[in-house]
Each structure stands twice: as structure tokens, then as C-alpha cells.
Amino acid sequence: HIEGLLYGGVDVASLGNNHNANYGKPGLDETKKLLEDNGILVTGLNGPVFKDTPAYVIKEVKGIKFAFLGYTDISKTPLVSSADENKIMKEVSAAKKNADVVIVQYHWGTEYLTPPEERQIQLGQLTIDAGADLVIGNHPHWIKPIQFYKGKLITYGHGNFVFDQEWS
């Protein structure tokens, strides 16, 4: 799959999701190393187990510094960065001090439900209030609405952008 990511131009990946513990810490270590060895920055792993992993990564493009953070609001595991409001506010604020654009990715929401849920709306707006410029949500397998909040974009779900579950 790494060849497909590279071919698609992916250079940042969040591992903060509900399948992160499928193969335990050894699986996450292997995935993180494979991505990084291929020039793909990794975010979403600064939970208790990976506590020394930075909360965000920075990618500079044409002189513009982009900070990327990733959180899951689906599974609570010490392997990845969970969507804790205080943690989010602190980390997004810190990223904003070191980057021109802050992008936060969430793994959130109920599968196969179109409207954004109250928790998603609350987290998305809190993230913008903390300094994020863009919030990108995924997990539900369906396309959800977008919202402009204080002039910033929140996408609640982009559907199965790259996924083999064609029926949904």
C-alpha cells in the first residue's frame, strides 16, 4: 500500500483511528517506520504509549509552514492521540505558534449517519477556536456536510475517499 500512497502524493498520514490497535504497538511501530522511511510524516500517535512523539508535524510547501495534528474520538486507547478537549486546545495552540496553517484531522462520528453529530460540531468548533485553519473529519463512511465557522472550513466526513467498501 505504501506504493499507492506515494503514487497519490501523500506526504502526511494520521494514525489516530479506531483500527490502530488491531496489531498492537508492534503493528503501529512497523507502520510508523514504513511511512517515515518513505518520507511520509506521521501524526496522531502522541498518546500515553507514544508520549515522546510530537503532537504535530510540520510540512513546508513553497515557504508556507503547515502543521498537522490527528486525533481519534472513536476508540480510547493509549496507543494514539484521543480527542481530549484540553489536550486539543493546548496542542493546536502550540502548533499555531510554529506554523502558518494548522490542519487537524479527526477520526470521529457514527458510521452511516449523514448529519454531523453534536460531539463533532463541538470538537470542530473548539479546534477552530484553538487556532486551527482547517478541520478534516473521517470515519463514518458517508459524506457529511461541511461548515464554515469563523471563516474556517470544517469537513465532517469525506466518505470512502480511498476505500474498498463500495456499497456505502
Side-chain angles (χ1 to χ4, degrees), residues 1-11 34-35 37-40:
H1 296 108
I2 197 74
E3 290 174 10
L5 293 173
L6 294 171
Y7 180 78
V10 172
D11 45 20
L34 179 64
L35 291 166
D37 286 352
N38 283 276
I40 298 174

Side-chain angles (χ1 to χ4, degrees), residues 39 48 52 70 72 85 101 109 114 136:
D52 295 330
T72 181
E85 291 89 346
V101 178
T114 300
I136 302 171

Side-chain angles (χ1 to χ4, degrees), residues 33-45:
K33 182 175 181 345
L34 179 64
L35 291 166
E36 290 176 343
D37 286 352
N38 283 276
I40 298 174
L41 300 173
V42 174
T43 189
L45 286 182

Side-chain angles (χ1 to χ4, degrees), residues 5-153:
L5 293 173
L6 294 171
Y7 180 78
V10 172
D11 45 20
V12 179
S14 174
L15 296 181
N17 63 69
N18 63 311
H19 291 286
N20 52 51
N22 287 6
Y23 295 95
K25 186 173 182 307
L28 273 174
D29 286 337
E30 182 179 339
T31 301
K32 181 177 186 283
K33 182 175 181 345
L34 179 64
L35 291 166
E36 290 176 343
D37 286 352
N38 283 276
I40 298 174
L41 300 173
V42 174
T43 189
L45 286 182
N46 67 321
V49 170
F50 291 93
K51 63 181 178 248
D52 295 330
T53 301
Y56 59 90
V57 295
I58 292 184
K59 173 80 178 179
E60 188 167 335
V61 179
K62 298 181 180 179
I64 300 171
K65 290 182 181 178
F66 294 85
F68 295 87
L69 299 90
Y71 301 96
T72 181
D73 197 43
I74 301 297
S75 58
K76 304 296 183 199
T77 169
L79 293 174
V80 298
S81 189
S82 294
D84 170 86
E85 291 89 346
N86 292 325
K87 176 182 172 90
I88 293 162
M89 290 171 37
K90 178 182 168 191
E91 293 174 351
V92 170
S93 178
K96 190 66 175 177
K97 293 175 184 169
N98 295 299
D100 303 303
V101 178
V102 176
I103 301 170
V104 179
Q105 186 274 321
Y106 281 103
H107 204 76
W108 63 6
T110 303
E111 292 177 334
Y112 319 116
L113 182 65
T114 300
E117 297 159 73
E118 189 60 36
R119 171 75 173 160
Q120 291 173 289
I121 294 167
Q122 182 252 336
L123 279 177
Q125 293 179 357
L126 173 133
T127 304
I128 298 294
D129 289 341
D133 297 290
L134 173 63
V135 174
I136 302 171
N138 65 28
H139 171 73
H141 297 286
W142 282 6
I143 295 172
K144 289 182 172 271
I146 64 170
Q147 176 187 23
F148 285 96
Y149 174 73
K150 297 185 177 179
K152 311 288 181 165
L153 179 63

